[in-house]
Amino acid sequence: MRSIRPSFTARRGGSTRRGPVRAAAAVALVSALTLTATACETGDEAAGSEASASAVAGDDKIKIPDDIKERLKEHGIDIDKWRNGAWKNWNKDDWLREAEDFVNPIIEDLWDPDRMRDAEDPDKGVDENDISGDQGVTDPEPEPVDAQAVSTPYHESVPVAGKVFFDSPEGTMVCSATVVTDPAHPGKSNMVWTAGHCVHAGKKGGWYRNIAFVPSYNDSGLSAAELENATKEQVAPYGVWWGDWVQTSDQWIEQGGATGGDGASYDFAVIHVTPEEGGSGKSLEETVGSALPVDFNAPAVPKIDSLTATGYPAAPPFDGQSMHQCEDKPGRLSLNASDPTMYRIGCTMTGGSSGGGWVAEGSDGKPALVSNTSIGPITGGWLAGPRLGEVAEGVFNEVSEKYAAAQ
């Protein structure tokens, strides 16, 4: 999504710190594209998506499945050392990149209220010249639509929405995400939809770490000041859910980048989650009471009258602590003639809303997730998201089928 006026350029899903370049960016990057992940300024790291190690917490111990232990050993990773801070090692040779290499063992209580509250937006911006030669169908830039605060408690308004937290080499970060249905487990889904750049750094990096989902983050809409003394139950009323498997598109891994919208047409990911503390035996969908179907054959842009994007924008004038939405009739944005045309809407949400779900009337006439926030201009005003087709459906089905015999 739009950039957070970084004092340096960070990669998609990476972090950027706010700095004195804000004014210059506003002038020089009027139509610049940027990513919408969010990073804090602690210097912590991030972890990726496509495959994640499963781990179950219980009896004050973390139980790591044997296959995960073996995979860790293959990469010279000691699970005890990892949990005690070895995950912070972002040596290029040790940063796992391939889809089958991703691991994400639970580190209980890592995501405490302070760490979640301090996660910020790492968006990067790109000069409009990066897309000036693109071909394909692109409609006129939409008029900005002011993001509206979602009424509290969020669980009653948008129970499927929440935040994804993760660590990257540049810091502790946050994106937005949506609980989606799982055809293998009707009514009992443990699947979450977000952006690819919220789990994997793309062509020049690897998987982020410590990926976790918090549904209805800050459910009652406490202010930033109130959150400083909030309990974990207030911040995460439905618990912290760790990714035990994550997948994104091969295209994002191979093409994804921080400039020119590289890989944006394939910037999506699916996270399968498990509760940090073992839970009550209920699935994520049962816990929050809802899940959205994903439509991989959504109507063409001209046939969609209204589309609603949800997220937790973190760049000013927002602070990342409250949920917002934009509703608009979408247009088309083509970044590359060989890639699928993206949806684009007017919206003032900023970085941190990356990965948030876009909901429209699906092909069956019912509300469905049809896209997610991926990019937007540094100066704000619009967002763009990938149209979900065969590649997205393939990623989704692989995660669903992997756990078809579970639960």
Side-chain angles (χ1 to χ4, degrees), residues 167-217:
D167 285 298
S168 80
E170 288 84 14
T172 300
M173 300 178 165
V174 65
C175 279
S176 300
T178 307
V179 182
V180 293
T181 58
D182 179 358
H185 299 285
K188 297 183 178 182
S189 174
N190 281 312
M191 293 171 64
V192 175
W193 192 279
T194 189
H197 75 262
C198 298
V199 296
H200 193 286
K203 60 186 175 183
K204 293 185 179 179
W207 295 113
Y208 296 131
R209 300 171 183 170
N210 304 326
I211 297 176
F213 175 66
V214 177
S216 295
Y217 171 83

Tab-separated table of all heavy atoms in Angstrom, residues 167-217:
chain	number	residue	atom	x	y	z
A	167	ASP	N	8.254	-11.066	12.123
A	167	ASP	CA	9.564	-10.434	12.261
A	167	ASP	C	10.334	-10.535	10.960
A	167	ASP	O	10.298	-11.559	10.280
A	167	ASP	CB	10.362	-11.106	13.382
A	167	ASP	CG	9.864	-10.708	14.757
A	167	ASP	OD1	9.940	-9.514	15.071
A	167	ASP	OD2	9.392	-11.581	15.508
A	168	SER	N	11.055	-9.460	10.617
A	168	SER	CA	11.872	-9.397	9.418
A	168	SER	C	13.248	-8.854	9.796
A	168	SER	O	13.436	-8.408	10.928
A	168	SER	CB	11.232	-8.466	8.384
A	168	SER	OG	11.519	-7.116	8.704
A	169	PRO	N	14.192	-8.849	8.871
A	169	PRO	CA	15.507	-8.294	9.194
A	169	PRO	C	15.450	-6.830	9.595
A	169	PRO	O	16.319	-6.336	10.315
A	169	PRO	CB	16.291	-8.472	7.886
A	169	PRO	CG	15.654	-9.632	7.229
A	169	PRO	CD	14.189	-9.490	7.542
A	170	GLU	N	14.430	-6.109	9.122
A	170	GLU	CA	14.338	-4.677	9.423
A	170	GLU	C	13.535	-4.354	10.679
A	170	GLU	O	13.527	-3.227	11.125
A	170	GLU	CB	13.712	-3.936	8.238
A	170	GLU	CG	14.616	-3.819	7.034
A	170	GLU	CD	14.556	-5.060	6.167
A	170	GLU	OE1	13.622	-5.875	6.377
A	170	GLU	OE2	15.420	-5.224	5.301
A	171	GLY	N	12.819	-5.321	11.234
A	171	GLY	CA	12.054	-5.011	12.428
A	171	GLY	C	10.809	-5.844	12.603
A	171	GLY	O	10.494	-6.726	11.814
A	172	THR	N	10.083	-5.558	13.672
A	172	THR	CA	8.815	-6.209	13.971
A	172	THR	C	7.734	-5.538	13.139
A	172	THR	O	7.619	-4.319	13.149
A	172	THR	CB	8.489	-6.080	15.464
A	172	THR	OG1	9.527	-6.706	16.209
A	172	THR	CG2	7.161	-6.735	15.785
A	173	MET	N	6.959	-6.331	12.437
A	173	MET	CA	6.019	-5.784	11.464
A	173	MET	C	4.598	-6.282	11.665
A	173	MET	O	4.356	-7.242	12.389
A	173	MET	CB	6.469	-6.138	10.060
A	173	MET	CG	7.824	-5.600	9.717
A	173	MET	SD	8.287	-6.117	8.056
A	173	MET	CE	9.627	-4.991	7.786
A	174	VAL	N	3.690	-5.630	10.947
A	174	VAL	CA	2.292	-6.012	11.026
A	174	VAL	C	1.604	-5.789	9.697
A	174	VAL	O	1.923	-4.868	8.952
A	174	VAL	CB	1.567	-5.216	12.133
A	174	VAL	CG1	1.514	-3.744	11.797
A	174	VAL	CG2	0.172	-5.763	12.369
A	175	CYS	N	0.683	-6.680	9.373
A	175	CYS	CA	-0.194	-6.556	8.198
A	175	CYS	C	-1.625	-6.814	8.675
A	175	CYS	O	-1.850	-7.077	9.859
A	175	CYS	CB	0.177	-7.587	7.140
A	175	CYS	SG	1.582	-7.152	6.080
A	176	SER	N	-2.546	-6.775	7.754
A	176	SER	CA	-3.934	-7.103	8.050
A	176	SER	C	-4.277	-8.430	7.374
A	176	SER	O	-3.572	-8.872	6.465
A	176	SER	CB	-4.861	-5.993	7.547
A	176	SER	OG	-4.541	-4.762	8.175
A	177	ALA	N	-5.348	-9.076	7.813
A	177	ALA	CA	-5.688	-10.394	7.276
A	177	ALA	C	-7.158	-10.723	7.538
A	177	ALA	O	-7.839	-10.017	8.287
A	177	ALA	CB	-4.788	-11.462	7.890
A	178	THR	N	-7.608	-11.840	6.934
A	178	THR	CA	-9.015	-12.232	6.985
A	178	THR	C	-9.167	-13.733	7.195
A	178	THR	O	-8.468	-14.527	6.552
A	178	THR	CB	-9.721	-11.865	5.658
A	178	THR	OG1	-9.492	-10.481	5.359
A	178	THR	CG2	-11.212	-12.138	5.743
A	179	VAL	N	-10.066	-14.125	8.077
A	179	VAL	CA	-10.383	-15.540	8.278
A	179	VAL	C	-11.229	-15.995	7.095
A	179	VAL	O	-12.245	-15.375	6.771
A	179	VAL	CB	-11.174	-15.767	9.582
A	179	VAL	CG1	-11.451	-17.258	9.791
A	179	VAL	CG2	-10.417	-15.190	10.773
A	180	VAL	N	-10.794	-17.069	6.420
A	180	VAL	CA	-11.532	-17.562	5.256
A	180	VAL	C	-11.986	-19.003	5.472
A	180	VAL	O	-11.415	-19.734	6.282
A	180	VAL	CB	-10.682	-17.468	3.970
A	180	VAL	CG1	-10.420	-16.014	3.610
A	180	VAL	CG2	-9.364	-18.220	4.123
A	181	THR	N	-13.009	-19.408	4.752
A	181	THR	CA	-13.557	-20.751	4.906
A	181	THR	C	-12.592	-21.799	4.359
A	181	THR	O	-11.773	-21.521	3.486
A	181	THR	CB	-14.903	-20.884	4.170
A	181	THR	OG1	-14.707	-20.579	2.777
A	181	THR	CG2	-15.934	-19.938	4.755
A	182	ASP	N	-12.716	-23.005	4.870
A	182	ASP	CA	-11.900	-24.136	4.427
A	182	ASP	C	-12.849	-25.232	3.939
A	182	ASP	O	-13.583	-25.825	4.740
A	182	ASP	CB	-11.044	-24.649	5.584
A	182	ASP	CG	-10.180	-25.836	5.205
A	182	ASP	OD1	-10.260	-26.298	4.051
A	182	ASP	OD2	-9.415	-26.315	6.074
A	183	PRO	N	-12.867	-25.521	2.643
A	183	PRO	CA	-13.794	-26.536	2.120
A	183	PRO	C	-13.586	-27.918	2.723
A	183	PRO	O	-14.517	-28.734	2.751
A	183	PRO	CB	-13.502	-26.533	0.616
A	183	PRO	CG	-12.138	-25.935	0.483
A	183	PRO	CD	-12.047	-24.918	1.580
A	184	ALA	N	-12.383	-28.183	3.236
A	184	ALA	CA	-12.113	-29.486	3.846
A	184	ALA	C	-12.688	-29.573	5.258
A	184	ALA	O	-12.867	-30.671	5.795
A	184	ALA	CB	-10.609	-29.753	3.879
A	185	HIS	N	-12.974	-28.421	5.858
A	185	HIS	CA	-13.504	-28.384	7.225
A	185	HIS	C	-14.602	-27.325	7.326
A	185	HIS	O	-14.399	-26.263	7.918
A	185	HIS	CB	-12.382	-28.088	8.221
A	185	HIS	CG	-11.300	-29.124	8.228
A	185	HIS	ND1	-11.458	-30.364	8.803
A	185	HIS	CD2	-10.052	-29.103	7.709
A	185	HIS	CE1	-10.352	-31.066	8.648
A	185	HIS	NE2	-9.478	-30.335	7.985
A	186	PRO	N	-15.764	-27.576	6.757
A	186	PRO	CA	-16.868	-26.609	6.795
A	186	PRO	C	-17.207	-26.183	8.225
A	186	PRO	O	-17.410	-27.020	9.102
A	186	PRO	CB	-18.030	-27.385	6.158
A	186	PRO	CG	-17.358	-28.415	5.303
A	186	PRO	CD	-16.140	-28.825	6.069
A	187	GLY	N	-17.229	-24.874	8.445
A	187	GLY	CA	-17.566	-24.344	9.765
A	187	GLY	C	-16.450	-24.445	10.780
A	187	GLY	O	-16.604	-23.990	11.917
A	188	LYS	N	-15.305	-25.017	10.383
A	188	LYS	CA	-14.209	-25.213	11.339
A	188	LYS	C	-12.859	-24.832	10.713
A	188	LYS	O	-11.857	-25.517	10.899
A	188	LYS	CB	-14.165	-26.659	11.818
A	188	LYS	CG	-15.409	-27.090	12.569
A	188	LYS	CD	-15.276	-28.522	13.083
A	188	LYS	CE	-16.505	-28.933	13.882
A	188	LYS	NZ	-16.361	-30.317	14.420
A	189	SER	N	-12.844	-23.734	10.001
A	189	SER	CA	-11.628	-23.328	9.304
A	189	SER	C	-10.551	-22.795	10.249
A	189	SER	O	-10.846	-22.129	11.247
A	189	SER	CB	-11.954	-22.242	8.273
A	189	SER	OG	-10.775	-21.742	7.678
A	190	ASN	N	-9.306	-23.075	9.891
A	190	ASN	CA	-8.143	-22.490	10.557
A	190	ASN	C	-7.265	-21.794	9.523
A	190	ASN	O	-6.044	-21.752	9.647
A	190	ASN	CB	-7.323	-23.580	11.267
A	190	ASN	CG	-7.937	-23.986	12.594
A	190	ASN	OD1	-8.300	-23.138	13.404
A	190	ASN	ND2	-8.076	-25.289	12.816
A	191	MET	N	-7.910	-21.233	8.500
A	191	MET	CA	-7.179	-20.604	7.407
A	191	MET	C	-7.374	-19.087	7.390
A	191	MET	O	-8.465	-18.580	7.634
A	191	MET	CB	-7.603	-21.218	6.070
A	191	MET	CG	-7.182	-22.680	5.943
A	191	MET	SD	-7.892	-23.528	4.499
A	191	MET	CE	-7.145	-22.603	3.152
A	192	VAL	N	-6.277	-18.380	7.089
A	192	VAL	CA	-6.256	-16.920	7.076
A	192	VAL	C	-5.675	-16.447	5.741
A	192	VAL	O	-4.688	-17.002	5.262
A	192	VAL	CB	-5.400	-16.381	8.239
A	192	VAL	CG1	-5.273	-14.859	8.164
A	192	VAL	CG2	-6.004	-16.796	9.576
A	193	TRP	N	-6.273	-15.406	5.160
A	193	TRP	CA	-5.814	-14.855	3.888
A	193	TRP	C	-5.106	-13.522	4.124
A	193	TRP	O	-5.598	-12.675	4.868
A	193	TRP	CB	-7.004	-14.637	2.956
A	193	TRP	CG	-6.582	-14.337	1.541
A	193	TRP	CD1	-6.181	-13.141	1.040
A	193	TRP	CD2	-6.508	-15.275	0.466
A	193	TRP	NE1	-5.852	-13.273	-0.286
A	193	TRP	CE2	-6.037	-14.566	-0.661
A	193	TRP	CE3	-6.789	-16.639	0.347
A	193	TRP	CZ2	-5.846	-15.173	-1.901
A	193	TRP	CZ3	-6.599	-17.249	-0.885
A	193	TRP	CH2	-6.138	-16.519	-1.999
A	194	THR	N	-3.948	-13.329	3.483
A	194	THR	CA	-3.231	-12.065	3.601
A	194	THR	C	-2.419	-11.841	2.333
A	194	THR	O	-2.613	-12.518	1.325
A	194	THR	CB	-2.339	-12.059	4.865
A	194	THR	OG1	-1.816	-10.740	5.077
A	194	THR	CG2	-1.193	-13.048	4.740
A	195	ALA	N	-1.491	-10.883	2.359
A	195	ALA	CA	-0.650	-10.599	1.191
A	195	ALA	C	0.630	-11.425	1.224
A	195	ALA	O	1.143	-11.754	2.294
A	195	ALA	CB	-0.303	-9.107	1.152
A	196	GLY	N	1.163	-11.736	0.048
A	196	GLY	CA	2.414	-12.482	-0.025
A	196	GLY	C	3.563	-11.743	0.623
A	196	GLY	O	4.444	-12.347	1.261
A	197	HIS	N	3.578	-10.404	0.496
A	197	HIS	CA	4.698	-9.648	1.060
A	197	HIS	C	4.630	-9.536	2.578
A	197	HIS	O	5.527	-8.969	3.204
A	197	HIS	CB	4.808	-8.262	0.410
A	197	HIS	CG	3.788	-7.256	0.835
A	197	HIS	ND1	2.648	-6.984	0.116
A	197	HIS	CD2	3.750	-6.422	1.895
A	197	HIS	CE1	1.964	-6.023	0.705
A	197	HIS	NE2	2.605	-5.665	1.792
A	198	CYS	N	3.584	-10.114	3.165
A	198	CYS	CA	3.472	-10.156	4.624
A	198	CYS	C	4.055	-11.448	5.190
A	198	CYS	O	4.093	-11.625	6.409
A	198	CYS	CB	2.008	-10.033	5.045
A	198	CYS	SG	1.234	-8.480	4.558
A	199	VAL	N	4.503	-12.343	4.300
A	199	VAL	CA	5.053	-13.611	4.769
A	199	VAL	C	6.404	-13.942	4.152
A	199	VAL	O	7.178	-14.715	4.707
A	199	VAL	CB	4.071	-14.774	4.500
A	199	VAL	CG1	2.782	-14.591	5.285
A	199	VAL	CG2	3.769	-14.892	3.006
A	200	HIS	N	6.702	-13.352	3.001
A	200	HIS	CA	7.941	-13.658	2.284
A	200	HIS	C	8.469	-12.384	1.631
A	200	HIS	O	7.705	-11.586	1.091
A	200	HIS	CB	7.666	-14.724	1.217
A	200	HIS	CG	8.892	-15.349	0.622
A	200	HIS	ND1	9.701	-14.684	-0.271
A	200	HIS	CD2	9.444	-16.581	0.780
A	200	HIS	CE1	10.702	-15.484	-0.642
A	200	HIS	NE2	10.564	-16.637	-0.012
A	201	ALA	N	9.792	-12.198	1.662
A	201	ALA	CA	10.393	-10.963	1.152
A	201	ALA	C	10.469	-10.884	-0.360
A	201	ALA	O	10.821	-9.841	-0.909
A	201	ALA	CB	11.796	-10.796	1.737
A	202	GLY	N	10.149	-11.976	-1.070
A	202	GLY	CA	10.180	-11.927	-2.524
A	202	GLY	C	11.524	-12.327	-3.103
A	202	GLY	O	12.278	-13.091	-2.507
A	203	LYS	N	11.843	-11.796	-4.289
A	203	LYS	CA	12.984	-12.282	-5.062
A	203	LYS	C	14.350	-12.077	-4.413
A	203	LYS	O	15.298	-12.779	-4.748
A	203	LYS	CB	12.984	-11.643	-6.450
A	203	LYS	CG	13.080	-10.116	-6.445
A	203	LYS	CD	12.919	-9.573	-7.863
A	203	LYS	CE	12.876	-8.053	-7.879
A	203	LYS	NZ	12.650	-7.526	-9.263
A	204	LYS	N	14.462	-11.153	-3.487
A	204	LYS	CA	15.765	-10.904	-2.877
A	204	LYS	C	15.823	-11.312	-1.409
A	204	LYS	O	16.730	-10.915	-0.681
A	204	LYS	CB	16.127	-9.423	-3.012
A	204	LYS	CG	16.379	-9.005	-4.450
A	204	LYS	CD	16.860	-7.567	-4.529
A	204	LYS	CE	17.144	-7.166	-5.982
A	204	LYS	NZ	17.590	-5.765	-6.085
A	205	GLY	N	14.859	-12.111	-0.965
A	205	GLY	CA	14.854	-12.519	0.436
A	205	GLY	C	14.190	-13.857	0.639
A	205	GLY	O	14.070	-14.649	-0.291
A	206	GLY	N	13.749	-14.105	1.851
A	206	GLY	CA	13.137	-15.382	2.172
A	206	GLY	C	11.949	-15.226	3.089
A	206	GLY	O	11.340	-14.162	3.181
A	207	TRP	N	11.642	-16.313	3.804
A	207	TRP	CA	10.486	-16.337	4.700
A	207	TRP	C	10.701	-15.458	5.922
A	207	TRP	O	11.774	-15.406	6.487
A	207	TRP	CB	10.220	-17.762	5.172
A	207	TRP	CG	9.813	-18.701	4.093
A	207	TRP	CD1	10.512	-19.760	3.611
A	207	TRP	CD2	8.584	-18.663	3.362
A	207	TRP	NE1	9.800	-20.383	2.622
A	207	TRP	CE2	8.616	-19.738	2.447
A	207	TRP	CE3	7.472	-17.831	3.395
A	207	TRP	CZ2	7.568	-19.993	1.564
A	207	TRP	CZ3	6.425	-18.091	2.516
A	207	TRP	CH2	6.487	-19.155	1.626
A	208	TYR	N	9.644	-14.790	6.326
A	208	TYR	CA	9.677	-14.048	7.573
A	208	TYR	C	9.460	-15.023	8.720
A	208	TYR	O	9.156	-16.195	8.502
A	208	TYR	CB	8.628	-12.931	7.564
A	208	TYR	CG	8.903	-11.880	6.517
A	208	TYR	CD1	7.903	-11.461	5.641
A	208	TYR	CD2	10.174	-11.331	6.398
A	208	TYR	CE1	8.167	-10.503	4.670
A	208	TYR	CE2	10.440	-10.373	5.435
A	208	TYR	CZ	9.434	-9.963	4.576
A	208	TYR	OH	9.703	-9.014	3.609
A	209	ARG	N	9.604	-14.542	9.938
A	209	ARG	CA	9.564	-15.427	11.102
A	209	ARG	C	8.548	-14.981	12.147
A	209	ARG	O	8.116	-13.847	12.170
A	209	ARG	CB	10.973	-15.506	11.724
A	209	ARG	CG	11.990	-16.045	10.746
A	209	ARG	CD	13.415	-15.938	11.251
A	209	ARG	NE	14.339	-16.408	10.212
A	209	ARG	CZ	15.656	-16.262	10.260
A	209	ARG	NH1	16.225	-15.662	11.288
A	209	ARG	NH2	16.414	-16.716	9.285
A	210	ASN	N	8.210	-15.939	13.010
A	210	ASN	CA	7.282	-15.672	14.123
A	210	ASN	C	5.938	-15.119	13.631
A	210	ASN	O	5.370	-14.201	14.219
A	210	ASN	CB	7.908	-14.715	15.130
A	210	ASN	CG	9.233	-15.226	15.659
A	210	ASN	OD1	9.417	-16.431	15.824
A	210	ASN	ND2	10.182	-14.327	15.902
A	211	ILE	N	5.430	-15.706	12.561
A	211	ILE	CA	4.155	-15.259	11.985
A	211	ILE	C	2.995	-15.677	12.888
A	211	ILE	O	2.861	-16.851	13.234
A	211	ILE	CB	3.950	-15.857	10.594
A	211	ILE	CG1	5.045	-15.368	9.647
A	211	ILE	CG2	2.577	-15.507	10.044
A	211	ILE	CD1	4.974	-15.993	8.271
A	212	ALA	N	2.168	-14.716	13.260
A	212	ALA	CA	1.017	-15.002	14.120
A	212	ALA	C	-0.150	-14.097	13.723
A	212	ALA	O	0.042	-12.965	13.274
A	212	ALA	CB	1.375	-14.787	15.581
A	213	PHE	N	-1.362	-14.603	13.910
A	213	PHE	CA	-2.584	-13.865	13.576
A	213	PHE	C	-3.362	-13.557	14.841
A	213	PHE	O	-3.541	-14.425	15.700
A	213	PHE	CB	-3.449	-14.699	12.632
A	213	PHE	CG	-4.795	-14.081	12.313
A	213	PHE	CD1	-4.886	-12.899	11.601
A	213	PHE	CD2	-5.973	-14.709	12.724
A	213	PHE	CE1	-6.124	-12.341	11.293
A	213	PHE	CE2	-7.212	-14.160	12.424
A	213	PHE	CZ	-7.298	-12.970	11.705
A	214	VAL	N	-3.827	-12.318	14.959
A	214	VAL	CA	-4.645	-11.897	16.098
A	214	VAL	C	-5.984	-11.385	15.574
A	214	VAL	O	-6.077	-10.267	15.058
A	214	VAL	CB	-3.950	-10.795	16.922
A	214	VAL	CG1	-4.862	-10.317	18.058
A	214	VAL	CG2	-2.632	-11.308	17.495
A	215	PRO	N	-7.043	-12.207	15.657
A	215	PRO	CA	-8.362	-11.755	15.185
A	215	PRO	C	-8.920	-10.664	16.087
A	215	PRO	O	-8.703	-10.668	17.304
A	215	PRO	CB	-9.212	-13.023	15.258
A	215	PRO	CG	-8.540	-13.891	16.272
A	215	PRO	CD	-7.075	-13.597	16.160
A	216	SER	N	-9.621	-9.717	15.487
A	216	SER	CA	-10.250	-8.612	16.230
A	216	SER	C	-9.257	-7.930	17.173
A	216	SER	O	-9.583	-7.627	18.329
A	216	SER	CB	-11.469	-9.114	17.014
A	216	SER	OG	-12.479	-9.552	16.142
A	217	TYR	N	-8.055	-7.668	16.677
A	217	TYR	CA	-7.052	-6.955	17.468
A	217	TYR	C	-7.654	-5.669	18.036
A	217	TYR	O	-8.326	-4.921	17.337
A	217	TYR	CB	-5.848	-6.619	16.591
A	217	TYR	CG	-4.839	-5.700	17.243
A	217	TYR	CD1	-3.868	-6.214	18.102
A	217	TYR	CD2	-4.869	-4.333	17.014
A	217	TYR	CE1	-2.948	-5.376	18.716
A	217	TYR	CE2	-3.961	-3.477	17.614
A	217	TYR	CZ	-3.000	-4.005	18.469
A	217	TYR	OH	-2.095	-3.162	19.080
